[in-house]
C-alpha cells in the first residue's frame, strides 16, 4: 500500500465520516488531522466535550481498518435534579418514605448514603434509600454522595417525620403549704410543635411578662421538636392559688394537654407512698 496514494478517513460511531485525507468534514473548528509522517493520520480533538465520547475508526481504501479507538470523556458527578428528591421531604410517623438521588457523570458515579451532620455511613448504596415504618427519631439530614474517578459530589435531603403533639407532666399532684412557692414542669413534643404554654388555675394563659410567674422554655433533642416547659411562682401562695394548672402543646391537629393539681399541704406526713405527689413546705 503506497502511503502517497492511499485515501484515509476517520469515522465516529456517533457521526458519519469526520475526515477524508487531511481534509476535515465536520467540527472544523474543533478537530484536525495531524501527519507526523507519510504513514500517519492522527485525529486531534482540540476542544473536548462529551459529544465526542464515541468509538473512532481509521479506515483506508477498500475499508481496510487501520485503527480502532474508544474515547471516554471523564465527567465529574453532577446531580440530576429531575430524578432526585426535593431537599425537604416529610412523612407521617409509621409511614414509608423513599429518598431518591440521581447523578450523571462518566464513569457512572457510585452512590452512597450518609446520615446526620457528621455524615455517618448508613451502609446503603444505590439511587434509593427506603425507610419503612418510620419513627420520629428518623428525622435527620440524609446525604447522598456520587463519586467517580474525577471527584465526588453531595446532595442533602432533610427528612422530617410528622407526629401529633404530646404532653407529659413531671408530677401530677404537688402539695404546697400556704405562703410557699412551687415549680411545675412538663415535657412537650410534636412535629410540628407550634406553641407550648401553661394555663393557671383561673384559666389564664401564662406569658413571660406576667409578674406572678417565672415561665421558661428549654428546647431539648437534636432533631425531634421537644421542649421542657417550666412554670414557677414568684410570690407567696394564698388559698386562692390552689387548683388545676394545665400544660398545653399546639401542633397541626388537636392540641395536647396534661394537668397538675396544686393542693394545700396540711399534713407533711400524709400520702407517704404516693409517688405522684410532691410536697413543698
Amino acid at each position: 500500500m503506497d502511503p502517497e496514494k492511499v485515501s484515509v478517513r476517520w469515522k465516529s460511531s456517533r457521526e458519519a465520516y469526520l475526515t477524508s485525507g487531511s481534509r476535515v468534514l465536520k467540527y472544523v473548528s474543533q478537530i484536525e488531522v495531524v501527519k507526523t509522517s507519510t504513514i500517519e493520520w492522527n485525529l486531534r480533538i482540540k476542544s473536548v466535550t462529551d459529544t465526542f465520547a464515541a468509538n473512532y475508526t481509521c479506515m483506508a481504501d477498500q475499508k481496510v481498518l487501520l485503527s480502532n479507538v474508544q474515547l471516554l470523556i471523564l465527567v465529574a458527578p453532577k446531580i440530576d435534579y429531575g430524578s432526585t428528591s426535593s431537599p425537604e421531604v416529610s412523612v407521617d410517623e409509621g409511614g414509608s418514605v423513599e429518598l431518591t438521588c440521581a447523578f450523571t457523570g462518566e464513569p457512572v458515579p457510585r452512590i452512597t448514603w450518609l446520615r446526620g451532620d457528621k455524615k455517618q455511613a448508613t451502609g446503603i448504596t444505590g439511587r434509593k434509600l427506603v425507610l419503612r415504618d418510620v419513627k420520629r427519631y428518623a428525622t435527620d439530614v440524609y446525604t447522598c454522595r456520587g463519586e467517580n474517578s474525577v471527584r465526588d459530589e453531595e446532595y442533602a435531603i432533610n427528612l422530617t417525620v410528622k407526629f401529633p403533639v404530646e404532653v407529659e407532666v413531671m408530677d401530677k399532684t404537688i402539695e404546697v403549704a400556704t405562703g410557699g412557692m412551687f415549680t411545675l414542669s412538663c415535657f412537650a413534643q410534636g412535629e410540628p410543635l407550634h406553641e407550648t404554654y401553661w394555663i393557671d388555675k383561673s384559666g389564664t394563659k401564662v406569658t413571660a411578662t406576667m409578674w406572678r410567674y417565672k415561665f421558661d422554655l428549654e428546647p431539648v433533642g437534636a432533631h425531634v421538636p421537644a421542649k421542657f416547659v417550666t412554670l414557677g411562682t414568684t410570690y407567696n401562695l394564698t388559698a386562692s392559688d390552689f387548683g388545676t394548672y394545665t400544660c398545653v402543646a399546639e401542633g397541626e391537629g388537636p392540641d395536647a394537654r396534661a394537668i397538675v393539681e396544686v393542693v394545700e399541704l396540711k399534713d407533711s406526713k400524709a400520702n407517704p407512698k404516693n409517688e405522684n405527689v410532691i410536697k413543698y413546705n
Side-chain angles (χ1 to χ4, degrees):
M1 182 181 294
D2 186 350
E4 297 295 331
K5 297 181 179 180
V6 69
S7 175
V8 175
R9 296 180 177 183
W10 277 98
K11 182 180 180 180
S12 162
S13 60
R14 298 179 61 172
E15 304 283 353
Y17 285 105
L18 301 175
T19 67
S20 179
S22 297
R23 187 161 58 98
V24 178
L25 305 178
K26 297 194 71 174
Y27 305 109
V28 177
S29 64
Q30 293 176 277
I31 63 176
E32 63 180 345
V33 176
V34 178
K35 290 182 62 61
T36 57
S37 69
T38 57
I39 61 172
E40 291 187 2
W41 288 265
N42 298 316
L43 182 68
R44 176 183 293 171
I45 302 174
K46 295 181 289 186
S47 180
V48 176
T49 65
D50 56 3
T51 303
F52 291 98
N55 191 65
Y56 291 82
T57 55
C58 179
M59 303 185 70
D61 295 330
Q62 289 79 46
K63 296 185 178 181
V64 177
L65 180 64
L66 302 179
S67 180
N68 185 19
V69 181
Q70 183 178 14
L71 176 61
L72 297 177
I73 308 299
L74 300 182
V75 180
K78 183 178 180 181
I79 193 71
D80 179 3
Y81 291 101
S83 302
T84 297
S85 299
S86 70
E88 300 291 336
V89 175
S90 63
V91 61
D92 290 334
E93 187 172 39
S96 298
V97 64
E98 184 178 281
L99 305 181
T100 303
C101 213
F103 288 91
T104 58
E106 184 62 48
V108 176
R110 179 177 183 269
I111 301 176
T112 56
W113 288 89
L114 314 170
R115 178 176 177 176
D117 296 332
K118 295 183 179 180
K119 297 180 180 179
Q120 297 178 335
T122 64
I124 305 299
T125 61
R127 295 180 53 170
K128 296 182 183 297
L129 174 63
V130 180
L131 302 175
R132 296 182 174 86
D133 191 20
V134 180
K135 304 304 180 186
R136 64 193 64 178
Y137 307 106
T139 293
D140 213 334
V141 57
Y142 293 84
T143 302
C144 54
R145 176 182 291 163
E147 185 175 10
N148 65 11
S149 58
V150 181
R151 62 179 176 85
D152 60 78
E153 181 77 8
E154 294 182 348
Y155 179 81
I157 301 172
N158 290 304
L159 176 65
T160 300
V161 181
K162 302 175 70 174
F163 62 97
V165 288
E166 302 172 358
V167 173
E168 181 181 358
V169 292
M170 302 301 102
D171 303 291
K172 295 181 179 180
T173 303
I174 65 170
E175 294 184 347
V176 188
T178 300
M181 296 182 181
F182 64 77
T183 299
L184 310 179
S185 297
C186 73
F187 176 73
Q189 60 178 329
E191 178 57 64
L193 181 60
H194 294 320
E195 188 177 13
T196 53
Y197 54 90
W198 281 93
I199 296 175
D200 69 13
K201 55 95 56 181
S202 64
T204 302
K205 177 180 176 180
V206 177
T207 64
T209 59
M210 298 175 67
W211 70 268
R212 295 168 59 85
Y213 303 105
K214 181 181 179 181
F215 179 71
D216 185 53
L217 285 172
E218 181 184 354
V220 293
H223 302 289
V224 178
K227 295 178 181 179
F228 276 117
V229 191
T230 305
L231 176 67
T233 53
T234 61
Y235 61 96
N236 295 327
L237 297 181
T238 65
S240 63
D241 295 309
F242 299 113
T244 301
Y245 291 75
T246 306
C247 182
V248 182
E250 295 182 355
E252 281 190 347
D255 59 21
R257 296 175 176 238
I259 63 172
V260 177
E261 295 291 342
V262 179
V263 299
E264 184 179 5
L265 176 63
K266 296 181 179 180
D267 183 356
S268 61
K269 296 180 181 181
N271 299 320
K273 295 183 180 181
N274 191 338
E275 296 179 354
N276 290 324
V277 175
I278 300 288
K279 297 182 178 64
Y280 290 86
N281 291 317

